[in-house]
Coordinates of all heavy atoms in Angstrom, one line a residue:
M1 N -75.5 -85.8 -134.2 CA -76.6 -86.2 -135.1 C -77.9 -85.4 -134.7 O -78.2 -85.2 -133.5 CB -76.9 -87.7 -134.9 CG -78.2 -88.2 -135.5 SD -78.4 -90.0 -135.4 CE -77.2 -90.6 -136.5
E2 N -78.5 -85.0 -135.8 CA -79.8 -84.3 -135.6 C -80.9 -85.2 -135.2 O -80.9 -86.4 -135.6 CB -80.2 -83.5 -136.8 CG -79.3 -82.4 -137.2 CD -79.7 -81.7 -138.4 OE1 -80.9 -81.8 -138.8 OE2 -78.9 -81.0 -139.0
K3 N -81.9 -84.7 -134.4 CA -83.0 -85.5 -134.0 C -83.8 -86.1 -135.2 O -84.1 -87.3 -135.2 CB -84.0 -84.7 -133.2 CG -85.1 -85.5 -132.6 CD -86.2 -84.5 -132.0 CE -86.0 -84.5 -130.5 NZ -87.1 -83.6 -129.9
M4 N -84.0 -85.3 -136.3 CA -84.7 -85.8 -137.5 C -83.9 -86.9 -138.2 O -84.5 -87.8 -138.7 CB -85.0 -84.7 -138.5 CG -85.9 -83.6 -137.9 SD -87.5 -84.3 -137.3 CE -88.2 -84.8 -138.9
D5 N -82.6 -86.9 -138.2 CA -81.8 -87.9 -138.8 C -81.9 -89.2 -138.0 O -82.1 -90.3 -138.6 CB -80.3 -87.5 -138.9 CG -79.5 -88.5 -139.7 OD1 -80.0 -89.0 -140.6 OD2 -78.3 -88.6 -139.3
A6 N -81.9 -89.1 -136.7 CA -82.1 -90.3 -135.8 C -83.6 -90.8 -136.0 O -83.7 -92.0 -136.1 CB -82.0 -89.9 -134.3
I7 N -84.5 -90.0 -136.2 CA -85.9 -90.5 -136.4 C -86.0 -91.2 -137.8 O -86.6 -92.3 -137.8 CB -86.9 -89.3 -136.4 CG1 -87.0 -88.7 -135.0 CG2 -88.3 -89.7 -137.0 CD1 -87.8 -87.4 -134.9
A8 N -85.3 -90.7 -138.8 CA -85.3 -91.4 -140.1 C -84.7 -92.8 -140.0 O -85.2 -93.8 -140.6 CB -84.7 -90.5 -141.1
K9 N -83.6 -92.9 -139.3 CA -82.9 -94.1 -139.2 C -83.7 -95.1 -138.3 O -83.9 -96.3 -138.7 CB -81.5 -93.9 -138.5 CG -80.5 -93.3 -139.5 CD -79.2 -93.0 -138.9 CE -78.2 -92.5 -139.9 NZ -78.7 -91.6 -140.9
L10 N -84.3 -94.7 -137.2 CA -85.1 -95.5 -136.4 C -86.3 -96.0 -137.1 O -86.7 -97.1 -137.0 CB -85.4 -94.8 -135.0 CG -84.2 -94.6 -134.1 CD1 -84.6 -93.7 -133.0 CD2 -83.7 -95.9 -133.6
S11 N -86.9 -95.1 -137.8 CA -88.1 -95.4 -138.6 C -87.8 -96.5 -139.6 O -88.7 -97.4 -139.8 CB -88.7 -94.1 -139.2 OG -89.8 -94.4 -140.0
A12 N -86.7 -96.3 -140.3 CA -86.4 -97.3 -141.3 C -86.1 -98.7 -140.7 O -86.5 -99.7 -141.3 CB -85.0 -96.9 -142.0
L13 N -85.6 -98.8 -139.5 CA -85.3 -100.1 -138.9 C -86.5 -100.6 -138.1 O -86.5 -101.8 -137.7 CB -84.1 -99.9 -137.9 CG -82.8 -99.6 -138.6 CD1 -81.7 -99.3 -137.5 CD2 -82.3 -100.7 -139.5
A14 N -87.6 -99.8 -137.9 CA -88.7 -100.2 -137.2 C -89.6 -101.3 -137.9 O -90.3 -102.0 -137.2 CB -89.6 -99.0 -136.8
Q15 N -89.5 -101.4 -139.2 CA -90.3 -102.3 -139.9 C -89.5 -103.6 -139.9 O -88.4 -103.8 -140.2 CB -90.4 -101.8 -141.4 CG -91.6 -102.3 -142.1 CD -91.4 -103.7 -142.7 OE1 -90.2 -104.2 -142.8 NE2 -92.4 -104.4 -143.1
P16 N -90.2 -104.7 -139.5 CA -89.5 -106.0 -139.2 C -88.7 -106.6 -140.4 O -87.6 -107.0 -140.3 CB -90.6 -107.0 -138.8 CG -91.7 -106.1 -138.3 CD -91.6 -104.8 -139.0
T17 N -89.3 -106.5 -141.6 CA -88.6 -107.1 -142.8 C -87.4 -106.2 -143.1 O -86.3 -106.7 -143.4 CB -89.6 -107.1 -144.0 OG1 -90.7 -107.9 -143.7 CG2 -88.8 -107.6 -145.3
R18 N -87.6 -104.9 -143.0 CA -86.4 -104.0 -143.3 C -85.3 -104.2 -142.3 O -84.1 -104.2 -142.7 CB -86.9 -102.5 -143.2 CG -86.0 -101.6 -144.1 CD -86.7 -100.3 -144.3 NE -88.0 -100.6 -144.5 CZ -89.1 -99.8 -144.4 NH1 -89.0 -98.6 -144.2 NH2 -90.3 -100.1 -144.6
L19 N -85.6 -104.5 -141.0 CA -84.6 -104.7 -140.0 C -83.9 -106.0 -140.4 O -82.6 -106.1 -140.3 CB -85.2 -104.8 -138.6 CG -84.3 -105.2 -137.5 CD1 -83.1 -104.2 -137.4 CD2 -85.0 -105.4 -136.2
E20 N -84.6 -107.1 -140.8 CA -84.0 -108.3 -141.2 C -83.0 -108.1 -142.4 O -81.9 -108.7 -142.5 CB -85.1 -109.3 -141.6 CG -84.5 -110.7 -141.7 CD -83.8 -111.3 -140.5 OE1 -84.3 -111.0 -139.4 OE2 -82.9 -112.0 -140.6
I21 N -83.5 -107.3 -143.3 CA -82.6 -107.0 -144.5 C -81.4 -106.2 -144.1 O -80.3 -106.5 -144.5 CB -83.5 -106.2 -145.5 CG1 -84.5 -107.1 -146.2 CG2 -82.5 -105.5 -146.6 CD1 -85.5 -106.3 -147.1
F22 N -81.6 -105.2 -143.2 CA -80.4 -104.5 -142.7 C -79.4 -105.4 -142.0 O -78.2 -105.4 -142.2 CB -80.8 -103.4 -141.8 CG -79.6 -102.7 -141.2 CD1 -78.8 -101.8 -141.9 CD2 -79.1 -103.0 -139.9 CE1 -77.7 -101.2 -141.4 CE2 -78.0 -102.4 -139.4 CZ -77.2 -101.5 -140.1
L23 N -79.9 -106.4 -141.2 CA -79.0 -107.3 -140.5 C -78.3 -108.2 -141.4 O -77.1 -108.5 -141.2 CB -79.8 -108.1 -139.5 CG -80.4 -107.3 -138.3 CD1 -81.3 -108.2 -137.4 CD2 -79.3 -106.7 -137.5
A24 N -78.9 -108.6 -142.5 CA -78.3 -109.5 -143.5 C -77.1 -108.7 -144.2 O -76.1 -109.3 -144.4 CB -79.3 -109.9 -144.6
I25 N -77.4 -107.4 -144.4 CA -76.3 -106.6 -145.1 C -75.2 -106.4 -144.1 O -74.0 -106.5 -144.4 CB -76.9 -105.3 -145.5 CG1 -77.9 -105.5 -146.6 CG2 -75.8 -104.3 -145.9 CD1 -78.8 -104.3 -147.0
A26 N -75.5 -106.1 -142.8 CA -74.5 -105.9 -141.8 C -73.7 -107.1 -141.5 O -72.4 -106.9 -141.2 CB -75.2 -105.4 -140.5
R27 N -74.2 -108.3 -141.7 CA -73.4 -109.5 -141.5 C -72.5 -109.8 -142.7 O -71.5 -110.6 -142.5 CB -74.4 -110.7 -141.3 CG -75.0 -110.7 -140.0 CD -75.8 -112.1 -139.7 NE -76.9 -112.2 -140.6 CZ -78.2 -111.9 -140.3 NH1 -78.5 -111.4 -139.2 NH2 -79.1 -112.1 -141.2
A28 N -72.7 -109.2 -143.8 CA -71.9 -109.5 -145.0 C -70.7 -108.5 -145.0 O -70.8 -107.3 -145.4 CB -72.8 -109.3 -146.3
A29 N -69.6 -109.0 -144.5 CA -68.4 -108.2 -144.4 C -68.0 -107.5 -145.7 O -67.5 -106.4 -145.7 CB -67.3 -109.0 -143.8
N30 N -68.1 -108.2 -146.8 CA -67.7 -107.6 -148.1 C -68.8 -107.1 -149.0 O -68.7 -106.9 -150.1 CB -66.9 -108.7 -148.9 CG -65.6 -109.1 -148.1 OD1 -64.9 -108.2 -147.6 ND2 -65.3 -110.3 -148.1
G31 N -70.0 -107.0 -148.4 CA -71.1 -106.5 -149.1 C -72.0 -107.7 -149.6 O -71.5 -108.8 -149.6
I32 N -73.2 -107.4 -150.1 CA -74.1 -108.4 -150.5 C -75.0 -107.8 -151.6 O -75.3 -106.6 -151.6 CB -74.9 -108.8 -149.3 CG1 -75.8 -110.0 -149.6 CG2 -75.7 -107.7 -148.7 CD1 -76.5 -110.6 -148.4
T33 N -75.3 -108.6 -152.6 CA -76.1 -108.1 -153.7 C -77.6 -108.2 -153.3 O -77.9 -108.9 -152.3 CB -75.9 -109.0 -155.0 OG1 -76.5 -110.3 -154.7 CG2 -74.5 -109.0 -155.4
S34 N -78.4 -107.4 -154.0 CA -79.9 -107.4 -153.7 C -80.5 -108.7 -153.8 O -81.3 -109.1 -153.1 CB -80.5 -106.3 -154.6 OG -80.3 -106.6 -155.9
S35 N -80.0 -109.5 -154.9 CA -80.6 -110.9 -155.0 C -80.2 -111.8 -153.8 O -81.0 -112.6 -153.3 CB -80.3 -111.6 -156.3 OG -79.2 -111.1 -156.9
E36 N -79.0 -111.6 -153.3 CA -78.6 -112.4 -152.1 C -79.4 -112.0 -150.9 O -79.8 -112.8 -150.0 CB -77.1 -112.2 -151.9 CG -76.2 -112.9 -152.9 CD -74.8 -112.5 -152.8 OE1 -74.4 -111.4 -152.4 OE2 -73.9 -113.4 -153.0
V37 N -79.7 -110.7 -150.8 CA -80.5 -110.2 -149.7 C -81.9 -110.8 -149.7 O -82.4 -111.3 -148.7 CB -80.6 -108.6 -149.7 CG1 -81.6 -108.1 -148.7 CG2 -79.3 -108.0 -149.4
A38 N -82.4 -110.8 -150.9 CA -83.8 -111.4 -151.1 C -83.8 -112.8 -150.8 O -84.7 -113.3 -150.1 CB -84.2 -111.2 -152.6
E39 N -82.8 -113.6 -151.2 CA -82.7 -115.0 -150.9 C -82.6 -115.3 -149.4 O -83.3 -116.1 -148.8 CB -81.4 -115.6 -151.5 CG -81.7 -116.4 -152.7 CD -80.4 -117.0 -153.3 OE1 -79.6 -117.6 -152.5 OE2 -80.2 -116.8 -154.5
Q40 N -81.6 -114.5 -148.7 CA -81.4 -114.7 -147.3 C -82.6 -114.3 -146.4 O -82.8 -114.9 -145.3 CB -80.2 -114.0 -146.9 CG -78.9 -114.5 -147.4 CD -77.7 -113.9 -146.8 OE1 -77.7 -113.2 -145.8 NE2 -76.6 -114.0 -147.5
T41 N -83.4 -113.4 -146.8 CA -84.5 -112.9 -146.1 C -85.8 -113.4 -146.5 O -86.9 -113.0 -146.0 CB -84.5 -111.3 -146.0 OG1 -84.6 -110.9 -147.3 CG2 -83.2 -110.8 -145.4
D42 N -85.8 -114.2 -147.6 CA -87.0 -114.8 -148.1 C -88.0 -113.7 -148.4 O -89.2 -113.7 -148.1 CB -87.6 -115.8 -147.1 CG -88.7 -116.7 -147.8 OD1 -88.6 -116.9 -149.0 OD2 -89.6 -117.1 -147.2
T43 N -87.5 -112.6 -149.2 CA -88.3 -111.5 -149.5 C -88.4 -111.5 -151.1 O -87.4 -111.7 -151.8 CB -87.7 -110.2 -149.0 OG1 -87.4 -110.3 -147.6 CG2 -88.5 -109.0 -149.3
M44 N -89.5 -111.1 -151.6 CA -89.7 -110.9 -153.1 C -88.7 -109.8 -153.6 O -88.6 -108.8 -152.9 CB -91.1 -110.6 -153.4 CG -92.1 -111.7 -153.1 SD -91.8 -113.2 -154.0 CE -92.2 -112.7 -155.7
P45 N -88.0 -110.0 -154.7 CA -87.1 -109.0 -155.2 C -87.6 -107.6 -155.3 O -87.0 -106.7 -154.9 CB -86.7 -109.6 -156.6 CG -86.9 -111.0 -156.4 CD -88.1 -111.2 -155.5
N46 N -88.9 -107.5 -155.8 CA -89.5 -106.1 -155.9 C -89.6 -105.4 -154.5 O -89.3 -104.3 -154.3 CB -90.8 -106.1 -156.6 CG -90.7 -106.4 -158.0 OD1 -89.6 -106.3 -158.6 ND2 -91.8 -106.8 -158.6
N47 N -90.0 -106.2 -153.5 CA -90.2 -105.7 -152.1 C -88.8 -105.4 -151.5 O -88.6 -104.4 -150.8 CB -90.9 -106.7 -151.2 CG -92.4 -106.9 -151.6 OD1 -92.9 -106.0 -152.2 ND2 -93.0 -108.0 -151.2
T48 N -87.8 -106.3 -151.9 CA -86.5 -106.1 -151.3 C -86.0 -104.7 -151.8 O -85.3 -103.9 -151.1 CB -85.5 -107.2 -151.8 OG1 -86.1 -108.4 -151.4 CG2 -84.1 -107.0 -151.3
S49 N -86.2 -104.4 -153.1 CA -85.8 -103.2 -153.7 C -86.3 -102.0 -153.0 O -85.6 -101.0 -152.7 CB -86.1 -103.2 -155.2 OG -85.8 -101.9 -155.8
V50 N -87.6 -102.0 -152.6 CA -88.2 -100.9 -151.9 C -87.6 -100.7 -150.6 O -87.3 -99.6 -150.1 CB -89.8 -101.1 -151.8 CG1 -90.4 -100.1 -150.9 CG2 -90.4 -101.1 -153.2
H51 N -87.4 -101.8 -149.9 CA -86.8 -101.8 -148.5 C -85.4 -101.2 -148.6 O -84.9 -100.5 -147.7 CB -86.8 -103.2 -147.8 CG -88.2 -103.6 -147.4 ND1 -89.0 -102.9 -146.6 CD2 -88.9 -104.7 -147.8 CE1 -90.1 -103.5 -146.5 NE2 -90.1 -104.7 -147.1
L52 N -84.6 -101.7 -149.6 CA -83.2 -101.2 -149.7 C -83.2 -99.7 -150.0 O -82.3 -99.0 -149.5 CB -82.5 -102.0 -150.9 CG -82.2 -103.4 -150.6 CD1 -81.8 -104.2 -151.9 CD2 -81.1 -103.5 -149.5
S53 N -84.1 -99.3 -150.8 CA -84.2 -97.8 -151.0 C -84.5 -97.0 -149.8 O -83.8 -96.0 -149.5 CB -85.3 -97.5 -152.1 OG -85.4 -96.2 -152.3
V54 N -85.3 -97.5 -148.9 CA -85.6 -96.8 -147.6 C -84.4 -96.8 -146.8 O -84.0 -95.8 -146.2 CB -86.8 -97.5 -146.9 CG1 -87.0 -96.9 -145.5 CG2 -88.1 -97.3 -147.7
L55 N -83.7 -97.9 -146.7 CA -82.5 -98.0 -145.9 C -81.4 -97.1 -146.4 O -80.6 -96.5 -145.7 CB -81.9 -99.5 -145.8 CG -82.8 -100.4 -145.0 CD1 -82.4 -101.9 -145.3 CD2 -82.7 -100.1 -143.5
R56 N -81.2 -97.1 -147.7 CA -80.2 -96.2 -148.4 C -80.6 -94.7 -148.2 O -79.7 -93.9 -147.8 CB -80.2 -96.5 -149.9 CG -79.0 -95.9 -150.5 CD -78.8 -96.3 -152.0 NE -80.0 -96.1 -152.8 CZ -80.7 -97.1 -153.3 NH1 -80.4 -98.4 -153.1 NH2 -81.8 -96.9 -154.0
N57 N -81.9 -94.3 -148.3 CA -82.3 -93.0 -148.1 C -82.1 -92.5 -146.6 O -81.9 -91.4 -146.3 CB -83.7 -92.8 -148.5 CG -83.9 -92.8 -150.0 OD1 -83.0 -92.6 -150.8 ND2 -85.1 -93.1 -150.4
A58 N -82.2 -93.5 -145.7 CA -82.0 -93.2 -144.3 C -80.5 -93.1 -143.9 O -80.1 -92.8 -142.8 CB -82.7 -94.2 -143.4
G59 N -79.6 -93.5 -144.9 CA -78.1 -93.4 -144.7 C -77.6 -94.7 -143.9 O -76.5 -94.6 -143.4
L60 N -78.4 -95.7 -143.9 CA -78.0 -96.9 -143.1 C -77.2 -97.9 -144.0 O -76.4 -98.7 -143.5 CB -79.2 -97.7 -142.6 CG -79.9 -96.8 -141.4 CD1 -81.2 -97.4 -141.1 CD2 -79.0 -96.8 -140.2
V61 N -77.4 -97.8 -145.3 CA -76.6 -98.7 -146.2 C -76.2 -97.8 -147.4 O -76.8 -96.8 -147.7 CB -77.5 -99.9 -146.8 CG1 -77.9 -100.8 -145.6 CG2 -78.7 -99.5 -147.6
S62 N -75.1 -98.2 -148.1 CA -74.7 -97.6 -149.3 C -74.6 -98.7 -150.4 O -74.7 -99.9 -150.1 CB -73.3 -97.0 -149.1 OG -72.4 -98.1 -148.8
S63 N -74.6 -98.3 -151.6 CA -74.6 -99.3 -152.7 C -73.6 -98.9 -153.8 O -73.3 -97.7 -153.9 CB -76.0 -99.3 -153.3 OG -76.4 -98.1 -153.9
T64 N -73.1 -99.8 -154.4 CA -72.2 -99.6 -155.6 C -72.7 -100.5 -156.7 O -73.1 -101.7 -156.5 CB -70.7 -100.0 -155.3 OG1 -70.7 -101.3 -154.8 CG2 -70.1 -99.0 -154.3
K65 N -72.6 -100.0 -157.9 CA -73.1 -100.7 -159.1 C -72.0 -101.1 -160.0 O -71.2 -100.2 -160.3 CB -74.2 -99.9 -159.8 CG -74.8 -100.6 -160.9 CD -76.0 -99.9 -161.5 CE -76.7 -100.7 -162.5 NZ -77.9 -100.0 -163.0
E66 N -71.9 -102.3 -160.3 CA -70.9 -102.8 -161.3 C -71.7 -103.6 -162.3 O -72.1 -104.7 -162.0 CB -69.8 -103.7 -160.6 CG -68.9 -102.9 -159.7 CD -67.8 -103.8 -159.1 OE1 -67.3 -104.7 -159.8 OE2 -67.5 -103.5 -157.9
G67 N -71.8 -103.1 -163.5 CA -72.6 -103.8 -164.5 C -74.1 -103.8 -164.1 O -74.6 -102.8 -163.8
R68 N -74.6 -105.0 -164.0 CA -76.0 -105.1 -163.6 C -76.1 -105.4 -162.1 O -77.2 -105.5 -161.5 CB -76.7 -106.2 -164.3 CG -76.7 -105.9 -165.8 CD -77.5 -107.0 -166.6 NE -78.9 -106.9 -166.3 CZ -79.7 -107.8 -166.7 NH1 -79.4 -108.8 -167.4 NH2 -81.0 -107.6 -166.4
L69 N -75.0 -105.7 -161.5 CA -75.0 -106.1 -160.0 C -74.9 -104.8 -159.1 O -74.0 -103.9 -159.4 CB -73.8 -107.0 -159.7 CG -73.9 -108.4 -160.1 CD1 -72.7 -109.2 -159.6 CD2 -75.2 -109.1 -159.5
V70 N -75.7 -104.8 -158.1 CA -75.7 -103.7 -157.1 C -75.3 -104.4 -155.8 O -76.0 -105.3 -155.4 CB -77.0 -103.0 -157.0 CG1 -76.9 -101.9 -155.9 CG2 -77.4 -102.4 -158.3
T71 N -74.2 -103.9 -155.2 CA -73.8 -104.5 -153.9 C -74.1 -103.5 -152.8 O -73.8 -102.3 -153.0 CB -72.3 -104.8 -154.0 OG1 -72.1 -105.7 -155.1 CG2 -71.8 -105.4 -152.7
Y72 N -74.6 -103.9 -151.7 CA -75.0 -103.1 -150.6 C -74.0 -103.4 -149.4 O -73.7 -104.6 -149.2 CB -76.4 -103.4 -150.1 CG -77.4 -102.9 -151.2 CD1 -77.7 -103.7 -152.3 CD2 -77.9 -101.7 -151.1 CE1 -78.6 -103.3 -153.2 CE2 -78.8 -101.2 -152.1 CZ -79.1 -102.0 -153.1 OH -80.0 -101.6 -154.1
R73 N -73.7 -102.4 -148.7 CA -72.9 -102.4 -147.5 C -73.5 -101.6 -146.4 O -74.1 -100.5 -146.7 CB -71.5 -101.9 -147.7 CG -70.7 -102.8 -148.7 CD -69.3 -102.2 -149.0 NE -68.6 -103.1 -149.8 CZ -68.8 -103.3 -151.1 NH1 -69.7 -102.7 -151.8 NH2 -68.1 -104.2 -151.8
A74 N -73.4 -102.1 -145.2 CA -73.9 -101.3 -144.0 C -73.0 -100.1 -143.8 O -71.8 -100.2 -143.9 CB -73.9 -102.2 -142.8
E75 N -73.6 -99.0 -143.5 CA -72.9 -97.8 -143.1 C -72.6 -97.8 -141.6 O -73.5 -97.3 -140.8 CB -73.7 -96.5 -143.5 CG -73.7 -96.3 -145.0 CD -72.3 -96.0 -145.5 OE1 -71.5 -95.3 -144.8 OE2 -71.9 -96.5 -146.7
R76 N -71.6 -98.5 -141.2 CA -71.3 -98.7 -139.8 C -71.1 -97.4 -139.0 O -71.5 -97.3 -137.9 CB -70.1 -99.7 -139.7 CG -70.4 -101.0 -140.3 CD -69.3 -102.0 -140.2 NE -69.4 -103.2 -141.0 CZ -70.4 -104.1 -140.9 NH1 -71.3 -104.0 -140.0 NH2 -70.4 -105.1 -141.8
G77 N -70.5 -96.4 -139.7 CA -70.4 -95.1 -139.0 C -71.8 -94.5 -138.6 O -71.9 -93.9 -137.5
A78 N -72.7 -94.6 -139.5 CA -74.1 -94.1 -139.3 C -74.7 -94.8 -138.1 O -75.4 -94.2 -137.3 CB -74.9 -94.2 -140.6
V79 N -74.5 -96.1 -138.1 CA -75.1 -96.9 -136.9 C -74.4 -96.5 -135.7 O -75.1 -96.4 -134.6 CB -74.9 -98.4 -137.2 CG1 -75.4 -99.3 -136.0 CG2 -75.7 -98.8 -138.5
Q80 N -73.1 -96.3 -135.7 CA -72.4 -95.9 -134.5 C -72.8 -94.5 -134.0 O -73.1 -94.3 -132.8 CB -70.9 -95.9 -134.7 CG -70.1 -95.5 -133.5 CD -70.3 -96.6 -132.4 OE1 -70.2 -97.8 -132.6 NE2 -70.5 -96.1 -131.2
R81 N -73.0 -93.6 -134.9 CA -73.5 -92.3 -134.6 C -74.9 -92.3 -134.0 O -75.2 -91.6 -133.0 CB -73.5 -91.3 -135.8 CG -72.1 -90.9 -136.2 CD -72.1 -89.8 -137.2 NE -72.7 -90.2 -138.5 CZ -72.0 -91.0 -139.4 NH1 -70.8 -91.4 -139.2 NH2 -72.6 -91.3 -140.5
L82 N -75.8 -93.2 -134.5 CA -77.1 -93.4 -133.9 C -77.0 -94.0 -132.5 O -77.7 -93.5 -131.6 CB -77.9 -94.3 -134.8 CG -79.4 -94.6 -134.3 CD1 -80.2 -93.4 -134.2 CD2 -80.0 -95.6 -135.3
A83 N -76.2 -95.0 -132.3 CA -76.0 -95.5 -131.0 C -75.5 -94.5 -130.0 O -75.9 -94.4 -128.9 CB -75.0 -96.8 -131.1
T84 N -74.5 -93.7 -130.4 CA -74.0 -92.6 -129.5 C -75.1 -91.6 -129.2 O -75.2 -91.2 -128.1 CB -72.8 -91.9 -130.3 OG1 -71.8 -92.9 -130.5 CG2 -72.3 -90.8 -129.4
F85 N -75.9 -91.2 -130.2 CA -76.9 -90.3 -130.0 C -77.9 -90.8 -128.9 O -78.3 -90.1 -128.1 CB -77.7 -90.1 -131.3 CG -78.9 -89.2 -131.2 CD1 -78.9 -87.8 -131.1 CD2 -80.2 -89.8 -131.2 CE1 -80.0 -87.0 -131.0 CE2 -81.3 -89.0 -131.1 CZ -81.3 -87.7 -131.0
L86 N -78.3 -92.1 -129.1 CA -79.3 -92.7 -128.1 C -78.6 -92.8 -126.7 O -79.3 -92.5 -125.8 CB -79.7 -94.0 -128.6 CG -80.6 -94.0 -129.9 CD1 -80.8 -95.4 -130.4 CD2 -81.9 -93.3 -129.6
S87 N -77.4 -93.2 -126.8 CA -76.7 -93.3 -125.5 C -76.6 -92.0 -124.7 O -76.8 -91.9 -123.5 CB -75.3 -93.9 -125.7 OG -74.6 -94.1 -124.5
E88 N -76.2 -91.0 -125.4 CA -76.1 -89.6 -124.8 C -77.5 -89.1 -124.4 O -77.6 -88.4 -123.3 CB -75.6 -88.6 -125.9 CG -74.1 -88.9 -126.2 CD -73.1 -88.7 -125.0 OE1 -73.3 -87.7 -124.3 OE2 -72.2 -89.5 -124.9
A89 N -78.5 -89.4 -125.1 CA -79.9 -89.0 -124.7 C -80.3 -89.7 -123.5 O -81.2 -89.2 -122.7 CB -80.8 -89.3 -125.8
A90 N -79.8 -90.9 -123.2 CA -80.3 -91.7 -122.1 C -79.5 -91.3 -120.8 O -79.8 -91.8 -119.7 CB -80.1 -93.2 -122.3
K91 N -78.6 -90.4 -120.8 CA -77.8 -90.0 -119.6 C -78.6 -89.1 -118.7 O -79.4 -88.4 -119.1 CB -76.5 -89.3 -120.1 CG -75.5 -90.4 -120.6 CD -74.2 -89.7 -120.8 CE -73.2 -90.7 -121.4 NZ -71.9 -90.2 -121.7

């Protein structure tokens, strides 16, 4: 993992609401819709959309669209690579 990629991921997770949104997505084994994320995190839908965009651009979540529904899933591989990067840096 490149340093800039790690910075983008850490920066995306550094905002408290965004971290809460990421955790809600990570807990949803089969994915979660943006409206479910907004409900679970008590976030306004417009704000949720902005946060989801940041997480997606950082490579921490992916989305699939079926009709009008967009389902988000945590990119577990990206999280694992970030953890490995940090672990290796701490040696």
Side-chain angles (χ1 to χ4, degrees):
M1 170 172 287
E2 292 181 19
K3 186 190 259 186
M4 294 306 292
D5 190 33
I7 290 169
K9 286 175 176 38
L10 292 169
S11 177
L13 295 172
Q15 203 279 345
T17 301
R18 206 166 320 160
L19 176 60
E20 191 61 36
I21 287 170
F22 176 77
L23 294 173
I25 295 168
R27 286 189 293 265
N30 297 318
I32 185 171
T33 65
S34 53
S35 23
E36 290 170 325
V37 169
E39 255 181 51
Q40 288 185 19
T41 60
D42 197 29
T43 308
M44 297 296 294
N46 290 345
N47 292 339
T48 303
S49 178
V50 171
H51 291 303
L52 288 167
S53 178
V54 172
L55 291 168
R56 193 174 50 249
N57 289 339
L60 292 165
V61 300
S62 61
S63 61
T64 54
K65 187 172 184 176
E66 291 184 36
R68 296 182 72 188
L69 282 180
V70 180
T71 301
Y72 292 87
R73 288 176 180 76
E75 286 296 322
R76 299 183 194 290
V79 174
Q80 183 59 48
R81 286 188 297 280
L82 178 60
T84 300
F85 173 81
L86 294 172
S87 179
E88 291 295 319
K91 286 185 179 179

